[in-house]
Every structure is written in C-alpha cells, then in structure tokens.
Amino acid sequence: MPEIRVALEAPDMAPERLDHATHLMQFNLKKVGGLAVHRVREAPPPDSLGTGALIAELLVVGAVGAGTASTMSSVLTSWLEFHSHRAVTLRGGNVHLRADADTDGEEIESALRRMTGESGA
C-alpha cells in the first residue's frame, strides 16, 4: 500500500498551535475515502536547518486514485491558502514536493498521483 508523508512546516507557530493545526489536517485528510492518516513526528528533523524549526508530520496510507488525489490536493491547498506563510512537504516513493501558497493545486495533485504510481484522469 502506498505511503505519503505530509510535513507541515510552521517555524514561527507556537507548539500548541502547531498541534491544533496538525490535528485539524489529520481530521480533514481522514475524511478522504480509503485513507488512513497517522501522526508521525512533531519535532525538528535531524537534517533541518535552524534550531527553531517546528514540523509536524503525518503518514497517509491508502489507495490514491484520481478522485482521492484531487480531494487530498484540495485539503492541502486550503490549508496553504489559510496559512499563506507556511509550507507543506510531500514525500512518497521517489517524488518530493515542497508546496506553499503559490503552488498550484494541480501541481500538488499531479505529485500525489506520481507518488502512488497513478496516472489518473
């Protein structure tokens, strides 16, 4: 089963606000049919730059087809629009995408499809 890691980047967000944002993102991604979403980490990764970086990571497991990728992309794009100075990093397979408020939803959707081997239409 394909796995996608979703890291919420919020270096200036208070830990309790990041915790709330992560729970909300997890809740919204769980609404996407066929996906299981688990919390992975809430600390700076070992290779992060700067000591104050706060990152929360979710692991998304499930079949990501065309409709699922579109819905997941909408959830992520909405979060980025609301938190315009934040970013989300997506990793799955050999695909890596760092998205921010300027990233087009279609680019996110395309990356999600590539992460799971879906060509989708």
Side-chain angles (χ1 to χ4, degrees), residues 22-38:
T22 304
H23 279 295
L24 187 57
M25 176 66 77
Q26 184 178 17
F27 176 77
N28 288 330
L29 288 173
K30 280 184 174 182
K31 288 182 182 178
V32 179
L35 298 181
V37 184
H38 309 282

Side-chain angles (χ1 to χ4, degrees), residues 1-30:
M1 183 90 29
E3 295 181 353
I4 298 171
R5 290 187 179 261
V6 178
L8 306 180
E9 300 176 28
D12 60 342
M13 189 180 273
E16 52 280 348
R17 290 200 60 221
L18 178 61
D19 181 63
H20 178 72
T22 304
H23 279 295
L24 187 57
M25 176 66 77
Q26 184 178 17
F27 176 77
N28 288 330
L29 288 173
K30 280 184 174 182

Side-chain angles (χ1 to χ4, degrees), residues 91-107:
R91 288 179 289 138
N94 62 353
V95 180
H96 179 267
L97 174 70
R98 184 175 186 278
D100 58 25
D102 294 328
T103 306
D104 185 66
E106 290 179 12
E107 184 179 351

Side-chain angles (χ1 to χ4, degrees), residues 46-91:
D47 59 346
S48 69
L49 299 176
T51 57
L54 282 179
I55 295 179
E57 191 171 52
L58 299 171
L59 178 64
V60 179
V61 181
V64 178
T68 310
S70 178
T71 305
M72 260 184 89
S73 174
S74 294
V75 169
L76 296 169
T77 302
S78 294
W79 190 83
L80 290 168
E81 288 172 356
F82 184 74
H83 300 284
S84 60
H85 58 289
R86 311 281 195 253
V88 172
T89 299
L90 305 171
R91 288 179 289 138

